[in-house]
Amino acid sequence: MVRLIRRELEALRERCAGRVITEQDVLYDSARAVWNGAVDRRPAAIVRCAGPGDVSAAVRFAREEELEISVRGGGHNFGGSAVTSGGLMLDLSALRRVRVDPGTRRAVCEGGATWADLDAATQAYGLATPGGTVSHTGVGGLTLGGGFGWLTRTHGLTADNLMSADVVLAGGQYVHASPGDHPDLFWALRGGGGNFGVVTGFTFRLHPVGPEVHVALLFWEIERGTEALAAAEETIAGLPRRAGVLTACGLTAPPLPFVPPEHRGRLGHALLIAGFGSAEEHAATAARAARALPPLFAFAEAMPYTRLQKLLDDSAPWGVHAYEKALDVTGIGPEAAATLNEHAARKTSPMSFVPSFRLDGAFSDMNDGATAYGGSRAPHHTLSFMALTPSPEALPAERAWSRAAWQAMLPHATGAGSYVNFQVEADADRVRRAYGRDKYARLAAVKAVYDPGNVFHLNANIRPS
């Protein structure tokens, strides 16, 4: 690890209003910790930024001292890209303020905000923008990679709803990116990841949502798994646009009140449907799913949108040891269902599962080239083979399970790009394939303008042309 001498550290502290943390500081271990407990890297210093000025000063300092830069927003990336080894970590976690203008239906949030922060502020006015499915995910990382969640079929990707961004560039300059200001940069930020700078502020378009929404969960045991996945596929095909859906493949039924005691710990598949229309419409949708194949147990409830956004938090607790592989499939037909069911049964950790996110509706309304999003806009499922364990000792076996399941499903993959936020092992070839030749070339040209030295490379990296 690069060791900064006292005078260099003092120079950095003089430039920054926020705290500068080194390995001698009692806060060091907690400051370098991120969501994935398997990530254990040691930065030379951590700047807990108090504002955009600190970000600019820290970037300039890192350039002067030839230190690698990492950026921590929510710290939720599977690969731990928020933490550099031996370089300078820019910690935005103190920058979480959100301002909402209900009249114009816009929200402005700082770069370290989480979805819990943004949802709480916007729901005070009955508004929301499409976010993730785990509330302690950072707004920044999710948005820059594209971002999808319960509202995506109704209102598109998170990036589709980004109206502008405030960015600190590789030279420390501060710019505003929007359709009218630096439009090339604005295009690249909506799906191109953290390749182009440090975003310290996001402005989002909001939509009327809730505050009460409708949720249904249907669970089928693994012994009927292939039939269950077929029933889920049939239900998804007939979903109204005002519904979000996730199929949790290989889910271990949790010890929660809505799960009958005799079924807790049972392995199977669950279909989760979030309805944003009427109660009657949602009830009809859930009933149609139950008719397709009667579930082992089911749950239906009206709840606040903010609770829906936290519904899966316990499935991905802070500090879990995690790994993932991901791919896209057009649909889950009989052969794909049989393969998925077979490999779901082979996991060894109760925490591991394969969430399948259906992307269509408003998501597919957007033209492929309108944003830098790395996947196809054609309707499809995105599958994430999530290996999750409470201890480091159990992770190698689950990592092998994730890789084997992913490999088995590859023959069913679309081959048309992929979601960069789900790329843990993002080597150069995979990143190029994720974006496709033309989109990657356009991103590389933007990178050459705004970060020609590839200062921001701890990400699904796009090399400057």
Side-chain angles (χ1 to χ4, degrees):
M1 183 175 77
V2 175
R3 293 187 179 275
L4 297 174
I5 61 176
R6 184 181 297 275
R7 68 171 178 272
E8 293 166 340
L9 284 171
E10 287 307 313
L12 179 58
R13 289 188 172 105
E14 286 175 5
R15 298 186 192 187
C16 297
R19 185 162 185 167
V20 176
I21 301 167
T22 66
E23 60 183 350
Q24 288 78 37
D25 198 301
V26 293
L27 295 177
Y28 180 73
D29 284 335
S30 62
R32 69 186 180 91
V34 288
W35 168 78
N36 188 352
V39 175
D40 184 19
R41 303 190 189 117
R42 303 183 70 84
I46 302 166
V47 178
R48 185 157 285 168
C49 301
D54 282 1
V55 176
S56 177
V59 167
R60 294 177 191 274
F61 176 85
R63 296 291 301 277
E64 293 165 7
E65 300 298 330
E66 299 183 345
L67 295 171
E68 182 179 65
I69 292 174
S70 68
V71 182
R72 182 197 190 280
H76 215 279
N77 177 266
F78 268 81
S81 58
V83 193
T84 170
S85 291
L88 188 65
M89 175 178 169
L90 308 187
D91 180 2
L92 308 186
S93 62
L95 305 179
R96 297 172 64 167
R97 287 176 295 185
V98 180
R99 300 192 312 276
V100 179
D101 184 340
T104 60
R105 292 183 180 173
R106 295 184 182 186
V108 179
C109 74
E110 293 183 314
T114 66
W115 283 102
D117 298 325
L118 185 56
D119 290 335
T122 57
Q123 276 292 281
Y125 303 96
L127 300 170
T129 200
T133 54
V134 173
S135 71
H136 45 80
T137 303
V139 170
L142 189 91
T143 303
L144 296 176
F148 53 74
W150 296 113
L151 287 171
T152 293
R153 295 185 69 251
T154 310
H155 296 300
L157 292 172
T158 309
D160 296 340
N161 290 275
L162 183 66
M163 302 181 72
S164 66
D166 297 313
V167 192
V168 175
L169 302 178
Q173 314 97 305
Y174 191 67
V175 300
H176 182 74
S178 70
D181 300 292
H182 302 283
D184 54 343
L185 175 61
F186 181 64
W187 174 84
L189 291 173
R190 292 178 296 154
N195 276 283
F196 308 97
V198 184
V199 180
T200 59
F202 297 87
T203 300
F204 291 105
R205 181 183 304 109
L206 303 177
H207 308 273
V209 174
E212 188 174 78
V213 300
H214 307 282
V215 178
L217 180 150
L218 298 89
F219 183 96
W220 298 273
E221 69 277 18
I222 198 75
E223 291 80 8
R224 291 190 295 158
T226 303
E227 298 95 322
L229 292 172
E233 194 76 349
E234 179 184 332
T235 302
I236 290 168
L239 279 180
R241 191 181 178 103
R242 292 172 299 191
V245 65
L246 183 156
T247 308
C249 309
L251 181 71
T252 301
L256 295 176
F258 67 85
V259 181
E262 66 272 21
H263 298 319
R264 294 173 187 173
R266 193 82 180 263
L267 180 64
H269 307 305
L271 180 67
L272 289 83
I273 306 169
F276 303 104
S278 68
E280 293 75 18
E281 180 182 65
H282 182 71
T285 300
R288 196 161 53 245
R291 283 195 302 270
L293 185 69
L296 184 65
F297 64 85
F299 161 80
E301 186 178 313
M303 63 179 66
Y305 175 73
T306 51
R307 184 179 163 202
L308 167 66
Q309 286 291 85
K310 297 177 180 179
L311 203 60
L312 298 180
D313 283 10
D314 288 345
S315 72
W318 193 269
V320 69
H321 293 258
Y323 174 84
E324 77 170 339
K325 300 280 284 184
L327 51 77
D328 295 344
V329 298
T330 302
I332 301 177
E335 290 185 12
T339 300
L340 189 53
N341 193 62
E342 175 188 351
H343 283 271
R346 295 179 182 176
K347 70 170 192 172
T348 57
S349 170
M351 300 180 72
S352 298
F353 72 115
V354 184
S356 171
F357 303 88
R358 181 62 182 176
L359 301 177
D360 59 19
F363 165 84
S364 297
D365 290 345
M366 187 74 75
N367 182 278
D368 269 338
T371 70
Y373 176 70
S376 167
R377 291 288 184 148
H380 67 271
H381 300 283
T382 290
L383 276 64
S384 171
F385 300 85
M386 294 174 57
L388 304 168
T389 68
S391 68
E393 295 79 17
L395 185 58
E398 286 302 277
R399 184 187 293 117
W401 165 80
S402 171
R403 288 171 173 168
W406 175 84
Q407 188 71 40
M409 286 294 290
L410 268 183
H412 307 287
T414 63
S418 61
Y419 183 45
V420 294
N421 278 352
F422 283 171
Q423 289 198 2
V424 174
E425 298 155 326
D427 59 70
D429 287 341
R430 288 182 183 177
V431 175
R432 286 192 183 93
R433 287 198 301 271
Y435 288 107
R437 183 185 64 187
D438 293 345
K439 189 171 284 187
Y440 185 90
R442 185 176 174 185
L443 285 164
V446 177
K447 178 82 166 178
V449 172
Y450 292 96
D451 184 16
N454 204 14
V455 170
F456 301 111
H457 60 264
L458 291 180
N459 43 49
N461 192 229
I462 294 158
R463 297 178 182 177
S465 60

